[in-house]
Structure formats: C-alpha cells, structure tokens
DNA sequence: TCCTTTATGCGAAAGATTTGCAAATACAAA
DNA sequence: TTTGTATTTGCAAATCTTTCGCATAAAGGA
C-alpha cells in the first residue's frame, strides 16, 4: 500500500484528502502492530503539528469508512490497523500488552456456522480472534 | 452455578467471600449477555449499597483470578461474563450495541495452528471470536 | 477564483477507570 | 469466642480516554 493507493482509498470513501488524514492513515499502515492513539500522537506530533482531536476524528472517519479496523484487546483503549479483508487474528498477553499478529490461519467454516446459528444476523463483514495467554517473556 | 458454587470459586482463588463480591459475581452470572459496569451499577445499587469503585475492584479481582472474562467489543467500555472454559464466540452489531452469543462452534484446530505459528507464545488459555456485521434490526 | 462543505485547533466536557487513605470487615489463629 | 492482621470498602479526587462546541482554515467542485 503506497501513498497513492491510500489517497485513493480516502477519495473512494467520499472523504477529503487532507495532510493530516493521510498522515494518520500512513502511520497506521506503517505500524507493525495495531497502533494506539497514544502511539500515533507520539509519531505524528514530531513531524506534523496535529491536534489530538484531529487524530481521533480521522481514526473515526477512516474506521466508519471501512478503511481502518478497530481492536481493543481488553486494554481499555482502542488500537487501529488497516482493514485488509475479513480476518484479523492475534495472540494477546494477559500480563504485558504484547500482541502478536498471526496470519495464514482461516476459520471461515466456523464463521459460516456461526452465521447459520445466529438469529439476529443474516450476514457479517469482518471478524477477529483474540487468543489470550501469557507470553514467553512474562511466564 | 448456584450461590455455593460461586462462593467456592471465590475461596479457591484465595479471595475473601464478601457480600459485595458475591453480589457482583452473582449478577454477572445471572445476566444473559456480557454485562457492563453501568448495568451492574443499576442492578446492584437497588439492593446493595455498593460503591462504583467496589464494583470495579471486584470485577478486576475476579477477572485476575480467572473467574470472569472481560470483553470489550470495541464499545469503549468493558463487559464481563463467567469464564466458563476456553471459548467465547459472539456476533456484534457495528451500528447498535447488540451482541449475540453463539455456542457450539469450535475452532480448536485453528487455535492450535495459531500457537504453532506464534513466536512469542508457547501456549494459551482462552480465546474469543468477535464477528462483526449489521444486525437485522439495523439493516 | 469563488462558494460551500468538510476538516482543524483549541479548550472544555464527558465518560471510563483507578487511586489514596481512613474505617470496616473477613477469617484464621489463639 | 475473642483477637490480630490482611483484605475490602466508601468516599472523594485523580487519571486516562474519547467526544464536543465553536470559530477559523482548507479542500475541491463550479
Ligand atoms: Mn494496548
Ligand atoms: Mn457495550
Ligand atoms: Zn507478556
Ligand atoms: Zn444493530
């Protein structure tokens, strides 16, 4: 995902391509893990002169537009990552705040079964699995 | 899970069985969905004279003891349910705050694969799947 | 360039959770 | 049953996270 592609994502969502919005999106995409507002503030305040409220508003608009995914991990604060498709699988340490993203494992069958069993939902868009444990560093 | 069994859970965790702690646990267990602090406050303030801080502290101690599971659902506040085993599977509406618990779908194979792929974790304890979509009422 | 809508900065407010401290309570030992 | 000590609670204040109001600035189509 290069800068031009990200610009197009924003445009296609009907949002305006501002310096700050692009910078927020770029920072989320560059991060190796789902990134918090606190971390984004650190990253962006150095280069840009960007207000905290602007970060929150852009994360929100990009999330509503379906460009970003929001994850909480039961940390009491939000984390964001690029909404790439339908799945986001992570292992989360219950002691420290380590998160490890795991790719390449599908649970599509299980999701289909869940939708079949559901009474309130006809179909779904995305899903996330959080597997909890204690990481090697914390054992 | 009756009151005596819950008392034993608390004792086995090395915690003291106080009226408030038992009331909090009982209220969580009785709820049909993962319950929020706000809801617990409403429920418990009527019968008991219990402070908000006491609710938070008991939810925390019961969670740390492994008796309660905490779930956020990206709502910006915590929800709690009884920690029954290893899995908690929900479908969550992205518009309203509807949550539907789905039971009877296993993803143990996928979890095993995730642990195999992990570099930071040797084993794990619990997991949750949140499937996101828009519920029939919100479509 | 002009116009209208959308985005931003700033400060304040709201919502969620945690903390310090003194008083009350649980419960094991005597 | 009484006593002693560690845990729990109430209360108020603090902290952390997120949202909002409003005036100004910027985006982007006409
Ligand atoms: Mn975090
Ligand atoms: Mn909720
Ligand atoms: Zn850890
Ligand atoms: Zn809904």
């Amino acid at each position: 995902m290069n800068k031009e592609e990200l610009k197009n994502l924003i445009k296609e969502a009907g949002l305006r391509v501002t310096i700050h919005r692009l910078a927020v999106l770029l920072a989320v995409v560059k991060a190796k893990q789902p990134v918090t507002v606190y971390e984004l503030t650190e990253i962006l305040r150095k280069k840009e002169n960007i207000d905290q409220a602007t970060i929150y508003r852009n994360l929100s608009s990009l999330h509503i537009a379906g460009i970003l995914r929001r994850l909480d991990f039961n940390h009491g604060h939000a984390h964001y990552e690029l909404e790439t498709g339908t799945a986001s699988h992570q292992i989360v340490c219950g002691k420290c705040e380590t998160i490890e993203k795991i790719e390449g494992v599908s649970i599509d069958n299980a999701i289909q079964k869940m939708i079949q069993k559901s009474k309130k939902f006809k179909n779904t868009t995305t899903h996330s699995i959080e597997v909890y444990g204690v990481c090697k560093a914390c054992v």
Side-chain angles (χ1 to χ4, degrees), chain A residues 82-96:
Chain A
L82 192 63
E83 178 69 77
T84 48
T86 60
S88 178
H89 299 177
Q90 341 264 342
I91 306 187
V92 183
C93 179
K95 286 198 180 176
C96 69

Side-chain angles (χ1 to χ4, degrees), chain A residues 36 75 77 79 97 99:
Chain A
T36 64
H75 283 181
H77 50 244
H79 310 68
E97 299 218 330
I99 301 156

Side-chain angles (χ1 to χ4, degrees), chain A residues 23-132:
Chain A
V24 167
L25 180 52
L26 213 49
V28 174
V29 170
K30 267 201 230 165
K32 295 195 187 73
Q33 291 200 339
V35 71
T36 64
V37 171
Y38 179 83
E39 291 163 342
L40 286 173
T41 304
E42 295 254 301
I43 295 167
L44 294 172
R45 257 212 299 246
K46 286 169 188 166
K47 298 172 188 173
E48 327 265 325
N49 200 40
I50 182 171
D51 193 81
Q52 193 121 310
T54 301
I55 296 177
Y56 273 101
R57 284 191 274 230
N58 278 316
L59 288 170
S60 177
S61 60
L62 292 169
H63 172 56
I64 290 170
I67 297 170
L68 293 185
R69 176 196 301 266
R70 179 184 161 156
L71 297 160
D72 281 0
F73 303 120
N74 302 340
H75 283 181
H77 50 244
H79 310 68
Y80 293 86
E81 65 178 5
L82 192 63
E83 178 69 77
T84 48
T86 60
S88 178
H89 299 177
Q90 341 264 342
I91 306 187
V92 183
C93 179
K95 286 198 180 176
C96 69
E97 299 218 330
T98 284
I99 301 156
E100 185 179 7
K101 196 179 177 70
I102 307 284
E103 301 189 37
V105 175
S106 164
I107 60 157
D108 292 347
N109 292 344
I111 301 294
Q112 286 311 314
K113 279 185 202 163
M114 284 178 68
I115 296 172
Q116 279 165 27
K117 289 192 178 231
S118 170
K119 288 170 184 164
K120 295 184 179 172
F121 293 79
K122 202 176 292 178
N123 45 55
T124 61
T125 52
T126 62
H127 75 261
S128 68
I129 308 178
E130 291 101 43
V131 181
Y132 292 91

